[in-house]
Amino acid sequence: MLNSYKQKFAKLLANLDINLPEQDIVDAIEIVPDNIEGDLWFPCFKLSKELKKSPNQIAQDFVSQIDDSQVIVVWPYVNYLLSSQDLSQDLIKQINIDKDNFGKLEKKKQEIILEWRQPNTHKAFHIWHLRNALVSNWVASCLERAGYDVHRVAYPWDIWAHVAKRIWYYINFYQGETPENNFGERAGTLYSDATKKVEEDKDTYKIQIEELQKSLEDGDEKLNEIRKDTRQKCLVDMENIFEELWCDIQKRYYESQVEKPGIEKVKEMKQNWIAIDGERWSLIIDLEEYKLWIFLLLKSTWASLYSTKDIGLAYLKKQDFPKYNQSLYVVWSEQIHHFNQLFKTLELIWFPHDALHHIAYGLVDLKDAKMSSRDGNVILYTQLRDQLLEEAHKMIQDRNILQEQKDIVARQVAFAAMKFDMLLPDASKKILFDPNEALSFEGETWPYIQYTHARCCSLLKKSEFNLESEISNLDYSKLSENYEKNLLMHLAQFGDHISKAAEEYRPNYVTRYLLELAKLFNSYYNNTDKKIVENKSSLALVACVKQVISNGLLILGIESPEEM
């Protein structure tokens, strides 16, 4: 939205003694920080060497040549003052036209594959999986909003050691009934039970599990029938969870699907002397000269590894989406070294590696609780969800709304708290999730933003104001106060924040933008002595805030309550 003003400002500067293309000038223009006069500014530091003047002198000379009251000098910057009336008129009209599409950028005609490491089948969906799903879904939504064509794919492991261990225990020791629902959670229990069982006779049981895994990989019909049947039960559970979270997966690549292509590709690498023999007849690629050490490609039995399958997966994705511009991997940060090795290996076998990027995210623990799926000490998604729902119901039980609406609002608040606190910090950082803090109305919490949206809805409903029908009756000169202009400027930057967040894969840019928008609006609400309903122009601004909050929530996969 601000780009048109940047272009107007750039045209004024381009007419001066400045040896820069107009688009470079536009790219250099920035938003002026708070408490400094002006709205946009152009820094003159880079011109000092060429023009043989100090940046302050260059700025003063430029301003004297432009001779426009909207252009002023502030130290080594040329600052541009926007007209509040022009800004409010342009912005409000644009939001009224775009509505749900406000902040959506032009199509870029670029394809991106976004792969998230979907939870292993035969495993309960816990809060580590939850953060992966939320970060993956957010990155995909933001990239789509930024104009990219995104292919959402997942890579669930369905034949790795964890599956063999569960099937081994299921066949030999499990005596309970097979549940029709929540099979994934039962599978998680089987894994921890199997781990404890192995401890009773490690030498015997480990060999049995390895033999069973090899039989699975070699295509044993009976074992694979059990694997496929239990896998499908787990996938049904996952689909129900993804539907609750508003997460959309368009295509899955199973571990069992990519294993053989990966092994064949590694064998080709040996034939071409890229892969070499390692210890005990294993197969490796030596990446020492790149300071990436040894990358193990096949075990001594020539059984596959993570590396083998990731190589096969890269080629399958390229086959299915041959024109992609980027292939993104959303995987926890402890796998950074693995992906550095993988990408270098793909480069050495002439795979188009420049388009590959690992988006690392940190794991999550609950406050005063540590995770270990091997020991059975996991915080399940369903446990966290139910706890948040219970607390959200308590929080709103005294609100003066119908019980049916309370149930809806409680669900909206609970899921928003879950998602917001997972996405507010830098995705690469490990976080401690505190359900009580997440549901608080104080500080950087999601209920504060949802409450702001509900407040906007209440003001518009109370005044029976509809922006579309009133757009031609507004007096934009009434939006001239500094706190109104601050709010307008922030609304105008929505698309810029989406663009930056998509470019850097940083969901917290959007969450923090919405927090700041809520703070600015509530300051505006308080500064007007709550007389907004008496001014149609102010109500138009309220409608714009409501729309942008709703649009921002949608990117994060969060609902916008109309009352709380």
Side-chain angles (χ1 to χ4, degrees), residues 105 108 112 138-139 142-143 146 148 326 328 357 359 495-507 509:
L105 308 182
K108 291 181 172 54
I112 295 178
W138 177 88
V139 173
C142 194
L143 287 168
Y148 295 95
Q326 294 182 67
L328 308 178
H357 183 76
I359 301 175
D496 294 337
H497 280 75
I498 291 173
S499 178
K500 186 178 180 181
E503 183 180 334
E504 299 182 23
Y505 317 117
R506 298 280 295 273
Y509 286 163

PDB file of all heavy atoms in Angstrom, residues 105 108 112 138-139 142-143 146 148 326 328 357 359 495-507 509:
ATOM      1  N   LEU A 105      -0.327  -9.999  -2.176  1.00  0.00           N
ATOM      2  CA  LEU A 105       0.576  -9.423  -3.160  1.00  0.00           C
ATOM      3  C   LEU A 105       0.343 -10.024  -4.541  1.00  0.00           C
ATOM      4  O   LEU A 105      -0.334 -11.044  -4.693  1.00  0.00           O
ATOM      5  CB  LEU A 105       2.025  -9.651  -2.724  1.00  0.00           C
ATOM      6  CG  LEU A 105       2.349  -9.210  -1.286  1.00  0.00           C
ATOM      7  CD1 LEU A 105       3.821  -9.429  -0.983  1.00  0.00           C
ATOM      8  CD2 LEU A 105       1.967  -7.755  -1.054  1.00  0.00           C
ATOM      9  N   LYS A 108       3.539 -14.057  -8.479  1.00  0.00           N
ATOM     10  CA  LYS A 108       4.947 -13.996  -8.872  1.00  0.00           C
ATOM     11  C   LYS A 108       5.323 -15.036  -9.934  1.00  0.00           C
ATOM     12  O   LYS A 108       6.453 -15.072 -10.394  1.00  0.00           O
ATOM     13  CB  LYS A 108       5.825 -14.193  -7.642  1.00  0.00           C
ATOM     14  CG  LYS A 108       5.754 -13.023  -6.667  1.00  0.00           C
ATOM     15  CD  LYS A 108       6.643 -13.237  -5.465  1.00  0.00           C
ATOM     16  CE  LYS A 108       6.724 -11.993  -4.597  1.00  0.00           C
ATOM     17  NZ  LYS A 108       5.424 -11.465  -4.179  1.00  0.00           N
ATOM     18  N   ILE A 112       6.804 -23.090  -5.350  1.00  0.00           N
ATOM     19  CA  ILE A 112       7.575 -23.489  -4.175  1.00  0.00           C
ATOM     20  C   ILE A 112       7.011 -24.804  -3.635  1.00  0.00           C
ATOM     21  O   ILE A 112       5.799 -24.940  -3.462  1.00  0.00           O
ATOM     22  CB  ILE A 112       7.515 -22.411  -3.079  1.00  0.00           C
ATOM     23  CG1 ILE A 112       8.210 -21.123  -3.547  1.00  0.00           C
ATOM     24  CG2 ILE A 112       8.171 -22.913  -1.785  1.00  0.00           C
ATOM     25  CD1 ILE A 112       8.142 -19.991  -2.546  1.00  0.00           C
ATOM     26  N   TRP A 138       1.905 -22.115   8.466  1.00  0.00           N
ATOM     27  CA  TRP A 138       2.008 -20.668   8.402  1.00  0.00           C
ATOM     28  C   TRP A 138       2.901 -20.240   7.249  1.00  0.00           C
ATOM     29  O   TRP A 138       2.550 -19.317   6.500  1.00  0.00           O
ATOM     30  CB  TRP A 138       2.577 -20.089   9.696  1.00  0.00           C
ATOM     31  CG  TRP A 138       2.729 -18.622   9.535  1.00  0.00           C
ATOM     32  CD1 TRP A 138       1.802 -17.664   9.785  1.00  0.00           C
ATOM     33  CD2 TRP A 138       3.841 -17.939   8.960  1.00  0.00           C
ATOM     34  NE1 TRP A 138       2.270 -16.429   9.418  1.00  0.00           N
ATOM     35  CE2 TRP A 138       3.526 -16.578   8.908  1.00  0.00           C
ATOM     36  CE3 TRP A 138       5.075 -18.359   8.486  1.00  0.00           C
ATOM     37  CZ2 TRP A 138       4.402 -15.622   8.401  1.00  0.00           C
ATOM     38  CZ3 TRP A 138       5.953 -17.416   7.982  1.00  0.00           C
ATOM     39  CH2 TRP A 138       5.615 -16.056   7.948  1.00  0.00           C
ATOM     40  N   VAL A 139       4.069 -20.861   7.094  1.00  0.00           N
ATOM     41  CA  VAL A 139       4.986 -20.480   6.012  1.00  0.00           C
ATOM     42  C   VAL A 139       4.292 -20.639   4.663  1.00  0.00           C
ATOM     43  O   VAL A 139       4.377 -19.766   3.794  1.00  0.00           O
ATOM     44  CB  VAL A 139       6.285 -21.311   6.058  1.00  0.00           C
ATOM     45  CG1 VAL A 139       7.143 -21.027   4.829  1.00  0.00           C
ATOM     46  CG2 VAL A 139       7.079 -20.986   7.320  1.00  0.00           C
ATOM     47  N   CYS A 142       1.653 -17.856   4.239  1.00  0.00           N
ATOM     48  CA  CYS A 142       2.268 -16.548   4.027  1.00  0.00           C
ATOM     49  C   CYS A 142       2.856 -16.457   2.618  1.00  0.00           C
ATOM     50  O   CYS A 142       2.726 -15.426   1.955  1.00  0.00           O
ATOM     51  CB  CYS A 142       3.350 -16.313   5.072  1.00  0.00           C
ATOM     52  SG  CYS A 142       3.901 -14.594   5.149  1.00  0.00           S
ATOM     53  N   LEU A 143       3.495 -17.526   2.160  1.00  0.00           N
ATOM     54  CA  LEU A 143       4.042 -17.533   0.800  1.00  0.00           C
ATOM     55  C   LEU A 143       2.928 -17.405  -0.236  1.00  0.00           C
ATOM     56  O   LEU A 143       3.074 -16.695  -1.241  1.00  0.00           O
ATOM     57  CB  LEU A 143       4.842 -18.810   0.567  1.00  0.00           C
ATOM     58  CG  LEU A 143       6.195 -18.889   1.284  1.00  0.00           C
ATOM     59  CD1 LEU A 143       6.747 -20.307   1.222  1.00  0.00           C
ATOM     60  CD2 LEU A 143       7.195 -17.912   0.671  1.00  0.00           C
ATOM     61  N   ALA A 146       1.852 -13.980  -0.340  1.00  0.00           N
ATOM     62  CA  ALA A 146       2.869 -13.142  -0.979  1.00  0.00           C
ATOM     63  C   ALA A 146       2.938 -13.365  -2.488  1.00  0.00           C
ATOM     64  O   ALA A 146       3.787 -12.762  -3.157  1.00  0.00           O
ATOM     65  CB  ALA A 146       4.233 -13.412  -0.352  1.00  0.00           C
ATOM     66  N   TYR A 148       3.122 -16.521  -4.217  1.00  0.00           N
ATOM     67  CA  TYR A 148       3.766 -17.731  -4.724  1.00  0.00           C
ATOM     68  C   TYR A 148       2.750 -18.859  -4.881  1.00  0.00           C
ATOM     69  O   TYR A 148       1.748 -18.921  -4.169  1.00  0.00           O
ATOM     70  CB  TYR A 148       4.875 -18.192  -3.769  1.00  0.00           C
ATOM     71  CG  TYR A 148       6.019 -17.226  -3.651  1.00  0.00           C
ATOM     72  CD1 TYR A 148       6.058 -16.283  -2.620  1.00  0.00           C
ATOM     73  CD2 TYR A 148       7.077 -17.241  -4.552  1.00  0.00           C
ATOM     74  CE1 TYR A 148       7.111 -15.379  -2.503  1.00  0.00           C
ATOM     75  CE2 TYR A 148       8.133 -16.351  -4.439  1.00  0.00           C
ATOM     76  CZ  TYR A 148       8.139 -15.422  -3.413  1.00  0.00           C
ATOM     77  OH  TYR A 148       9.187 -14.538  -3.302  1.00  0.00           O
ATOM     78  N   GLN A 326      11.786 -23.091  -5.653  1.00  0.00           N
ATOM     79  CA  GLN A 326      12.364 -23.355  -4.340  1.00  0.00           C
ATOM     80  C   GLN A 326      11.780 -24.649  -3.790  1.00  0.00           C
ATOM     81  O   GLN A 326      10.610 -24.966  -4.038  1.00  0.00           O
ATOM     82  CB  GLN A 326      12.039 -22.234  -3.347  1.00  0.00           C
ATOM     83  CG  GLN A 326      12.641 -20.887  -3.637  1.00  0.00           C
ATOM     84  CD  GLN A 326      12.273 -19.890  -2.543  1.00  0.00           C
ATOM     85  OE1 GLN A 326      12.689 -19.999  -1.394  1.00  0.00           O
ATOM     86  NE2 GLN A 326      11.458 -18.911  -2.895  1.00  0.00           N
ATOM     87  N   LEU A 328      11.514 -26.202   0.000  1.00  0.00           N
ATOM     88  CA  LEU A 328      11.745 -25.876   1.405  1.00  0.00           C
ATOM     89  C   LEU A 328      11.495 -27.099   2.284  1.00  0.00           C
ATOM     90  O   LEU A 328      10.538 -27.844   2.068  1.00  0.00           O
ATOM     91  CB  LEU A 328      10.827 -24.740   1.840  1.00  0.00           C
ATOM     92  CG  LEU A 328      10.833 -23.480   0.969  1.00  0.00           C
ATOM     93  CD1 LEU A 328       9.824 -22.462   1.504  1.00  0.00           C
ATOM     94  CD2 LEU A 328      12.227 -22.867   0.916  1.00  0.00           C
ATOM     95  N   HIS A 357      16.299 -25.270   0.585  1.00  0.00           N
ATOM     96  CA  HIS A 357      16.479 -24.461   1.797  1.00  0.00           C
ATOM     97  C   HIS A 357      15.850 -25.167   2.989  1.00  0.00           C
ATOM     98  O   HIS A 357      14.723 -25.657   2.909  1.00  0.00           O
ATOM     99  CB  HIS A 357      15.837 -23.083   1.625  1.00  0.00           C
ATOM    100  CG  HIS A 357      16.040 -22.182   2.793  1.00  0.00           C
ATOM    101  ND1 HIS A 357      17.239 -21.548   3.049  1.00  0.00           N
ATOM    102  CD2 HIS A 357      15.210 -21.826   3.803  1.00  0.00           C
ATOM    103  CE1 HIS A 357      17.131 -20.834   4.156  1.00  0.00           C
ATOM    104  NE2 HIS A 357      15.916 -20.980   4.635  1.00  0.00           N
ATOM    105  N   ILE A 359      14.302 -24.761   6.593  1.00  0.00           N
ATOM    106  CA  ILE A 359      13.720 -23.846   7.578  1.00  0.00           C
ATOM    107  C   ILE A 359      13.745 -24.562   8.922  1.00  0.00           C
ATOM    108  O   ILE A 359      12.965 -25.482   9.169  1.00  0.00           O
ATOM    109  CB  ILE A 359      12.282 -23.450   7.202  1.00  0.00           C
ATOM    110  CG1 ILE A 359      12.253 -22.769   5.830  1.00  0.00           C
ATOM    111  CG2 ILE A 359      11.680 -22.539   8.267  1.00  0.00           C
ATOM    112  CD1 ILE A 359      10.856 -22.461   5.335  1.00  0.00           C
ATOM    113  N   GLY A 495       0.951  -5.298   3.964  1.00  0.00           N
ATOM    114  CA  GLY A 495       1.512  -6.060   2.849  1.00  0.00           C
ATOM    115  C   GLY A 495       3.033  -6.140   2.921  1.00  0.00           C
ATOM    116  O   GLY A 495       3.633  -7.171   2.567  1.00  0.00           O
ATOM    117  N   ASP A 496       3.681  -5.070   3.394  1.00  0.00           N
ATOM    118  CA  ASP A 496       5.142  -5.075   3.524  1.00  0.00           C
ATOM    119  C   ASP A 496       5.597  -6.111   4.549  1.00  0.00           C
ATOM    120  O   ASP A 496       6.609  -6.790   4.354  1.00  0.00           O
ATOM    121  CB  ASP A 496       5.644  -3.692   3.952  1.00  0.00           C
ATOM    122  CG  ASP A 496       5.415  -2.630   2.876  1.00  0.00           C
ATOM    123  OD1 ASP A 496       5.297  -3.003   1.694  1.00  0.00           O
ATOM    124  OD2 ASP A 496       5.337  -1.440   3.226  1.00  0.00           O
ATOM    125  N   HIS A 497       4.846  -6.246   5.639  1.00  0.00           N
ATOM    126  CA  HIS A 497       5.200  -7.235   6.655  1.00  0.00           C
ATOM    127  C   HIS A 497       5.003  -8.658   6.128  1.00  0.00           C
ATOM    128  O   HIS A 497       5.801  -9.555   6.436  1.00  0.00           O
ATOM    129  CB  HIS A 497       4.364  -7.021   7.922  1.00  0.00           C
ATOM    130  CG  HIS A 497       4.876  -5.926   8.798  1.00  0.00           C
ATOM    131  ND1 HIS A 497       4.708  -4.592   8.503  1.00  0.00           N
ATOM    132  CD2 HIS A 497       5.579  -5.962   9.961  1.00  0.00           C
ATOM    133  CE1 HIS A 497       5.267  -3.856   9.449  1.00  0.00           C
ATOM    134  NE2 HIS A 497       5.809  -4.655  10.336  1.00  0.00           N
ATOM    135  N   ILE A 498       3.963  -8.870   5.344  1.00  0.00           N
ATOM    136  CA  ILE A 498       3.758 -10.193   4.746  1.00  0.00           C
ATOM    137  C   ILE A 498       4.899 -10.516   3.793  1.00  0.00           C
ATOM    138  O   ILE A 498       5.446 -11.629   3.793  1.00  0.00           O
ATOM    139  CB  ILE A 498       2.402 -10.244   4.004  1.00  0.00           C
ATOM    140  CG1 ILE A 498       1.254 -10.188   5.004  1.00  0.00           C
ATOM    141  CG2 ILE A 498       2.296 -11.509   3.148  1.00  0.00           C
ATOM    142  CD1 ILE A 498      -0.106 -10.059   4.378  1.00  0.00           C
ATOM    143  N   SER A 499       5.278  -9.542   2.981  1.00  0.00           N
ATOM    144  CA  SER A 499       6.366  -9.747   2.023  1.00  0.00           C
ATOM    145  C   SER A 499       7.674 -10.093   2.740  1.00  0.00           C
ATOM    146  O   SER A 499       8.384 -11.036   2.361  1.00  0.00           O
ATOM    147  CB  SER A 499       6.553  -8.479   1.182  1.00  0.00           C
ATOM    148  OG  SER A 499       7.632  -8.629   0.276  1.00  0.00           O
ATOM    149  N   LYS A 500       7.985  -9.351   3.803  1.00  0.00           N
ATOM    150  CA  LYS A 500       9.222  -9.593   4.545  1.00  0.00           C
ATOM    151  C   LYS A 500       9.172 -10.945   5.256  1.00  0.00           C
ATOM    152  O   LYS A 500      10.168 -11.694   5.275  1.00  0.00           O
ATOM    153  CB  LYS A 500       9.445  -8.474   5.554  1.00  0.00           C
ATOM    154  CG  LYS A 500      10.777  -8.557   6.286  1.00  0.00           C
ATOM    155  CD  LYS A 500      10.963  -7.386   7.244  1.00  0.00           C
ATOM    156  CE  LYS A 500      12.311  -7.482   7.963  1.00  0.00           C
ATOM    157  NZ  LYS A 500      12.497  -6.372   8.920  1.00  0.00           N
ATOM    158  N   ALA A 501       8.029 -11.266   5.844  1.00  0.00           N
ATOM    159  CA  ALA A 501       7.883 -12.544   6.539  1.00  0.00           C
ATOM    160  C   ALA A 501       8.035 -13.711   5.576  1.00  0.00           C
ATOM    161  O   ALA A 501       8.660 -14.728   5.902  1.00  0.00           O
ATOM    162  CB  ALA A 501       6.523 -12.608   7.233  1.00  0.00           C
ATOM    163  N   ALA A 502       7.462 -13.583   4.374  1.00  0.00           N
ATOM    164  CA  ALA A 502       7.571 -14.646   3.371  1.00  0.00           C
ATOM    165  C   ALA A 502       9.003 -14.777   2.867  1.00  0.00           C
ATOM    166  O   ALA A 502       9.511 -15.886   2.673  1.00  0.00           O
ATOM    167  CB  ALA A 502       6.629 -14.357   2.204  1.00  0.00           C
ATOM    168  N   GLU A 503       9.658 -13.650   2.683  1.00  0.00           N
ATOM    169  CA  GLU A 503      11.028 -13.658   2.167  1.00  0.00           C
ATOM    170  C   GLU A 503      12.001 -14.308   3.150  1.00  0.00           C
ATOM    171  O   GLU A 503      12.916 -15.021   2.753  1.00  0.00           O
ATOM    172  CB  GLU A 503      11.471 -12.215   1.895  1.00  0.00           C
ATOM    173  CG  GLU A 503      12.857 -12.092   1.291  1.00  0.00           C
ATOM    174  CD  GLU A 503      13.240 -10.644   1.035  1.00  0.00           C
ATOM    175  OE1 GLU A 503      12.330  -9.810   0.847  1.00  0.00           O
ATOM    176  OE2 GLU A 503      14.447 -10.347   1.022  1.00  0.00           O
ATOM    177  N   GLU A 504      11.776 -14.085   4.452  1.00  0.00           N
ATOM    178  CA  GLU A 504      12.695 -14.589   5.466  1.00  0.00           C
ATOM    179  C   GLU A 504      12.156 -15.804   6.214  1.00  0.00           C
ATOM    180  O   GLU A 504      12.812 -16.323   7.113  1.00  0.00           O
ATOM    181  CB  GLU A 504      13.021 -13.475   6.473  1.00  0.00           C
ATOM    182  CG  GLU A 504      13.694 -12.267   5.837  1.00  0.00           C
ATOM    183  CD  GLU A 504      14.051 -11.191   6.859  1.00  0.00           C
ATOM    184  OE1 GLU A 504      14.186 -11.534   8.056  1.00  0.00           O
ATOM    185  OE2 GLU A 504      14.196 -10.025   6.461  1.00  0.00           O
ATOM    186  N   TYR A 505      10.949 -16.268   5.856  1.00  0.00           N
ATOM    187  CA  TYR A 505      10.311 -17.415   6.503  1.00  0.00           C
ATOM    188  C   TYR A 505      10.195 -17.184   8.017  1.00  0.00           C
ATOM    189  O   TYR A 505      10.529 -18.051   8.814  1.00  0.00           O
ATOM    190  CB  TYR A 505      11.085 -18.713   6.236  1.00  0.00           C
ATOM    191  CG  TYR A 505      11.558 -18.881   4.819  1.00  0.00           C
ATOM    192  CD1 TYR A 505      12.915 -18.955   4.516  1.00  0.00           C
ATOM    193  CD2 TYR A 505      10.648 -18.978   3.768  1.00  0.00           C
ATOM    194  CE1 TYR A 505      13.359 -19.100   3.214  1.00  0.00           C
ATOM    195  CE2 TYR A 505      11.078 -19.125   2.458  1.00  0.00           C
ATOM    196  CZ  TYR A 505      12.433 -19.178   2.191  1.00  0.00           C
ATOM    197  OH  TYR A 505      12.863 -19.322   0.893  1.00  0.00           O
ATOM    198  N   ARG A 506       9.683 -16.015   8.401  1.00  0.00           N
ATOM    199  CA  ARG A 506       9.619 -15.634   9.812  1.00  0.00           C
ATOM    200  C   ARG A 506       8.168 -15.327  10.206  1.00  0.00           C
ATOM    201  O   ARG A 506       7.696 -14.198  10.038  1.00  0.00           O
ATOM    202  CB  ARG A 506      10.499 -14.410  10.074  1.00  0.00           C
ATOM    203  CG  ARG A 506      11.980 -14.604   9.798  1.00  0.00           C
ATOM    204  CD  ARG A 506      12.675 -15.322  10.927  1.00  0.00           C
ATOM    205  NE  ARG A 506      12.668 -14.523  12.136  1.00  0.00           N
ATOM    206  CZ  ARG A 506      13.589 -13.604  12.429  1.00  0.00           C
ATOM    207  NH1 ARG A 506      14.581 -13.363  11.578  1.00  0.00           N
ATOM    208  NH2 ARG A 506      13.539 -12.935  13.554  1.00  0.00           N
ATOM    209  N   PRO A 507       7.444 -16.306  10.757  1.00  0.00           N
ATOM    210  CA  PRO A 507       6.042 -16.058  11.133  1.00  0.00           C
ATOM    211  C   PRO A 507       5.882 -14.977  12.191  1.00  0.00           C
ATOM    212  O   PRO A 507       4.861 -14.312  12.248  1.00  0.00           O
ATOM    213  CB  PRO A 507       5.577 -17.423  11.668  1.00  0.00           C
ATOM    214  CG  PRO A 507       6.824 -18.170  11.999  1.00  0.00           C
ATOM    215  CD  PRO A 507       7.859 -17.682  11.039  1.00  0.00           C
ATOM    216  N   TYR A 509       7.035 -12.107  12.331  1.00  0.00           N
ATOM    217  CA  TYR A 509       6.833 -10.764  11.785  1.00  0.00           C
ATOM    218  C   TYR A 509       5.344 -10.426  11.724  1.00  0.00           C
ATOM    219  O   TYR A 509       4.937  -9.290  11.980  1.00  0.00           O
ATOM    220  CB  TYR A 509       7.432 -10.653  10.384  1.00  0.00           C
ATOM    221  CG  TYR A 509       8.945 -10.582  10.345  1.00  0.00           C
ATOM    222  CD1 TYR A 509       9.635 -10.829   9.165  1.00  0.00           C
ATOM    223  CD2 TYR A 509       9.690 -10.279  11.473  1.00  0.00           C
ATOM    224  CE1 TYR A 509      11.025 -10.767   9.109  1.00  0.00           C
ATOM    225  CE2 TYR A 509      11.065 -10.216  11.435  1.00  0.00           C
ATOM    226  CZ  TYR A 509      11.734 -10.459  10.250  1.00  0.00           C
ATOM    227  OH  TYR A 509      13.092 -10.405  10.204  1.00  0.00           O
TER     228      TYR A 509
END
